[in-house]
Amino acid sequence: MVYDVDYVEGEKKGCSSRLTIENRVFYVKLFESPASPPRYFAGDRNGVILKEISGNEFDLWLKILAGKKADIEDIKRKISLGKKY
């Protein structure tokens, strides 16, 4: 499984990071306040944010695309290092 977490491209869209996994693109926006949960967005390869998705849907896509628990944990760890808003 190949994936890329790109903080610079994510920040260009006002998000913390952009995750590209398989043929899917997701944007994640993290917040400083623990009371504010992260926001997840589905995107396309051209950098267009298509729609906001729920955390459950994002987790489902990770399970489908990444498969292995270790890979999912690594992706989530890398995403958590992005800029907080």
Side-chain angles (χ1 to χ4, degrees):
M1 186 246 356
V2 176
Y3 67 90
D4 177 50
V5 177
D6 190 331
Y7 306 107
V8 174
E9 289 300 316
E11 288 181 21
K12 286 180 182 178
K13 296 294 181 187
C15 294
S16 304
S17 61
R18 180 182 78 180
L19 168 65
T20 305
I21 181 170
E22 298 289 334
N23 61 346
R24 304 283 183 179
V25 177
F26 301 95
Y27 291 89
V28 179
K29 187 169 189 174
L30 304 172
F31 298 95
E32 289 285 341
S33 171
S36 298
R39 293 178 65 188
Y40 303 96
F41 304 90
D44 70 10
R45 293 219 171 251
N46 296 321
V48 176
I49 294 177
L50 302 175
K51 67 175 184 170
E52 185 170 358
I53 60 174
S54 69
N56 289 337
E57 185 176 352
F58 180 73
D59 288 341
L60 177 65
W61 277 113
L62 286 183
K63 287 177 187 173
I64 292 169
L65 297 171
K68 296 180 185 175
K69 186 175 182 177
D71 289 336
I72 293 170
E73 289 173 1
D74 188 50
I75 289 169
K76 287 186 174 188
R77 181 187 60 77
K78 287 182 178 178
I79 286 173
S80 71
L81 299 175
K83 178 180 176 180
K84 310 285 191 289
Y85 290 88

